Amino acid sequence: MRSRIERIAVSTGGGDAPGLNAVINAATLAARNRGWEVVGIRDGFNGLLTPEDYPDGGLIELTRDRVRGIIHQGGTIIGTTNRGNPTAFPVHRPDGTWVEVDRTRELIDRFAEHRIDALILVGGDGSMSIGQHLHDAGLRLVGVPKTIDNDLDKTVSTFGFDTAVDFASQCIDRLFTTATSHGRIIVVEVMGRYAGWIALNAGMASGVHAILIPEIPFGLDPVAALIADRERHGAKFSIVCVAEGARPVGGEVSIVGRSPGQAERLGGIGAKVAAALEEMTGREARTVVLGHLLRGGSPTSFDRLLGLRFGGAAVRALDEGRSGVMVALDPPTVDYVPLAEATRRQKTVPLDCDSLLTARDMGINFGDEMPVHSTIGR
Ligand code: F6P
């Protein structure tokens, strides 16, 4: 039986993604129009778990005034964190070490203390798994999928991805002119964790010559051969787009480090690839790491709309008495899928998807096959 809702909370967790404020806007308006109160929890769940860190007590009243004019803004007005997992909350010890503590029960109690009847949890795969756990522990909640990486299963797309691909493509367009002028190899490293969606889509959209993605362990002989072939045909520059999670055949993913309570930080593969290609081809190589630039800025209209649609659908789901589900894009509509299904596996690039096949047909090299087509048209 569905119980009446009077007050809901919105939380944004994990890395930010353009479109989060659109979700907050639509969810707030849809809830207020039902007569519900809405609060935002600061920085994931930290506003509830460490309220002493916040002058306002960790909750922010989401009024119509507060959410006005935010749809086009990047980031999230309520803040986020990727080190606030309540099931493994990092607690520092006086000796400088840290332990992970399960604070689930305490968190659920805080929701009750603040008279919060239900939660809209906006986040990536980590947040959706936390959502499943909190739902099992008795919290009424609906998940909203976000990530620039597009690696969440059961939704055709996540918001933030389109903006990231669009901006990465614009950056690579600029790299083409300087690479051409200097006759250089430029290796551009993009985010995406263990999925190659950003590298594949941005690389194709900007016409790069090689794309290295986590789904296809790479060798550099094919890429060097392609560069040499281009040079023989008069093209002295080449652009390689590498996903941060790409790894060589038989080698490891490049990891920069890990902070308490966080997933490992990926990075550095671009510089390694550039150094190796310079050595192999004798041609000067440079590296550009786009990094967090892909998470910033104003969302594209696609991501704004997706954020708005997800925010509205999440409120309708709660109103219909649903819980433990994630809203998901299933064109032409937004549907609901059980969190348990959405978190079962990571959505990586299928090796037989048409984008990848088309890229190969165009002669784009993935570091797994010696070049057979010329890339001289590009
Ligand atoms: O998941 C989004 C993402 O931007 C990944 O692409 C990247 O590996 C990671 O977050 C970076 O996280 P942080 O903000 O902790 O550096």
Side-chain angles (χ1 to χ4, degrees), residues 179-229:
T180 313
S181 307
H182 286 265
R184 283 173 171 160
I185 300 165
I186 294 192
V187 178
V188 54
E189 179 183 310
V190 296
M191 282 187 167
R193 290 199 72 74
Y194 295 105
W197 294 108
I198 297 177
L200 177 64
N201 285 24
M204 283 183 77
S206 50
V208 303
H209 308 105
I211 301 175
L212 306 178
I213 58 175
E215 293 82 353
I216 306 176
F218 65 84
L220 288 179
D221 285 339
V223 183
L226 172 123
I227 291 168
D229 182 62

Side-chain angles (χ1 to χ4, degrees), residues 22-23 26-27 30-31 34 36 120 142-145 305-322 325-329 333-336:
V23 178
R34 283 166 169 78
W36 305 351
I120 293 179
V142 169
V144 173
L305 270 170
L306 193 53
L308 294 172
R309 292 172 70 193
F310 279 177
V315 169
R316 289 196 299 280
L318 288 175
D319 203 11
E320 288 162 13
R322 296 179 201 261
V325 295
M326 180 184 89
V327 301
L329 181 64
T333 194
V334 168
D335 210 346
Y336 307 111

Side-chain angles (χ1 to χ4, degrees), residues 281-302:
T281 63
R283 186 151 288 282
E284 210 179 9
R286 293 285 187 273
T287 317
V288 175
V289 180
L290 294 182
H292 294 82
L293 288 170
L294 301 186
R295 295 223 308 246
S298 184
T300 58
S301 53
F302 180 89

Side-chain angles (χ1 to χ4, degrees), residues 5 18 29-30 34-35 49 70 72 74 86 98 111 121 126 140-141 157 164 198 203 211 264 327:
I5 290 181
L29 296 181
R34 283 166 169 78
L49 288 173
I70 63 168
H72 66 284
W98 54 280
F111 276 96
L121 174 62
R140 185 168 172 183
L141 69 90
S157 187
I198 297 177
I211 301 175
E264 65 285 347
V327 301

Side-chain angles (χ1 to χ4, degrees), residues 16 47 62 130 161 194 201 216-217 232 236 278 291 295 374:
D16 66 343
L62 292 176
I130 293 168
F161 174 61
Y194 295 105
N201 285 24
I216 306 176
R232 267 196 304 280
K236 299 192 184 314
E278 185 167 282
R295 295 223 308 246
S374 173

Side-chain angles (χ1 to χ4, degrees), residues 14-16 82 125 146-149 151 190-194 198 244 262-266 291-292 294-295:
D16 66 343
N82 51 14
D125 52 352
K146 83 63 255 208
T147 169
I148 65 163
D149 305 337
D151 59 353
V190 296
M191 282 187 167
R193 290 199 72 74
Y194 295 105
I198 297 177
E244 63 178 1
Q262 284 183 327
E264 65 285 347
R265 254 180 297 136
L266 307 182
H292 294 82
L294 301 186
R295 295 223 308 246

